[in-house]
Amino acid sequence: MAGGGRIVSVSTVLFDGYPFALALEEIARAGATHVEPAFIRGYVDFTEDDFSEGAARELARSTAEAGLKVHALSAHMDLSGAEARSMLARRIAFAEALGARVLITNAGPERAADTVVATIKALLPRIEAWGGMLAVENPGHGSGDLAGTAEQGRRLVERIGSPHVQLNHDAGNVFTYSHERLQPAGDYLAAREAIGHAHLKDVKSTPEGWSFCATGSGDVDLKHYLEAIPPDLPVSLELPLRLRRPGRQDPQRATEPLPVEQLRAALEASLAFVSSAARPRPTSARGNSA
């Protein structure tokens, strides 16, 4: 753990375009203890077959061999879709087989709120039997999402009324979804009781648009965010460096994967940032003077 006792996972999205085995090797090499397998449409390529029982066994085996654990799994979907219940059941089983305690997904459009709630409630007995947490994430682009802000997400969690359904608060998504009007610390405080996991993601803002970068090196105020969240709130480093957002539009994926050396450097810098933020602040030599 790089966060002073906090579980700090590293998302495999950083190594998009490379085999899972290489991602696991590099994450372990950097000194991380936990990996967050990522299945996010537009970020990485995957199909529903990737959530099979055999795929889960293989990923669990390779993760253990790398000396890593899985606390959180990102397996995004629209909870209002026609196949949402079977897709969610498949993801719950996959998370359980990996030993994950958190399953992260999108919600869906606000106009389909009743359908989203019905989907979650239909699978709630399965979630409770697993014993983990379904964590609904705020989006980073688009509009009209049911969980567009932490406060909106909190209202969804309250409608479900189960401790097994909470929010995954994505700090970088707060910044981009709001088009830089919001920083994540304030958004977090609006719904902290409903947040069970967080993503640390950073972007640099330029006249040309947004580019994803190492945690702590961009314009998302992650320093104050890490001061605002509890020291034991689990977090994941999500570093989708292969993506760009020219003109602040939807993410665009580069044709080729980035060099491993570049990804390695970004991961090391990100872990160092989180570790530094977790250190106790030095006591003033003047004692308690203001």
Side-chain angles (χ1 to χ4, degrees), residues 224-248:
H224 286 103
Y225 184 72
L226 286 168
E227 291 173 356
I229 66 176
D232 60 348
L233 182 72
V235 303
S236 294
L237 299 177
E238 191 178 69
L239 301 157
L241 303 191
R242 190 174 174 182
L243 302 182
R244 294 289 182 272
R245 296 191 59 181
R248 293 169 175 75

Side-chain angles (χ1 to χ4, degrees), residues 151-174:
E151 186 173 357
Q152 288 176 295
R154 176 181 56 78
R155 291 198 291 268
L156 172 62
V157 167
E158 289 172 350
R159 283 190 67 179
I160 303 301
S162 169
H164 292 277
V165 179
Q166 297 186 40
L167 302 177
N168 176 66
H169 194 241
D170 189 304
N173 285 356
V174 171

Side-chain angles (χ1 to χ4, degrees), residues 119-135:
T119 297
I120 296 174
K121 286 190 173 182
L123 272 296
L124 197 53
R126 179 66 182 90
I127 296 169
E128 291 172 345
W130 160 42
M133 177 202 307
L134 179 67

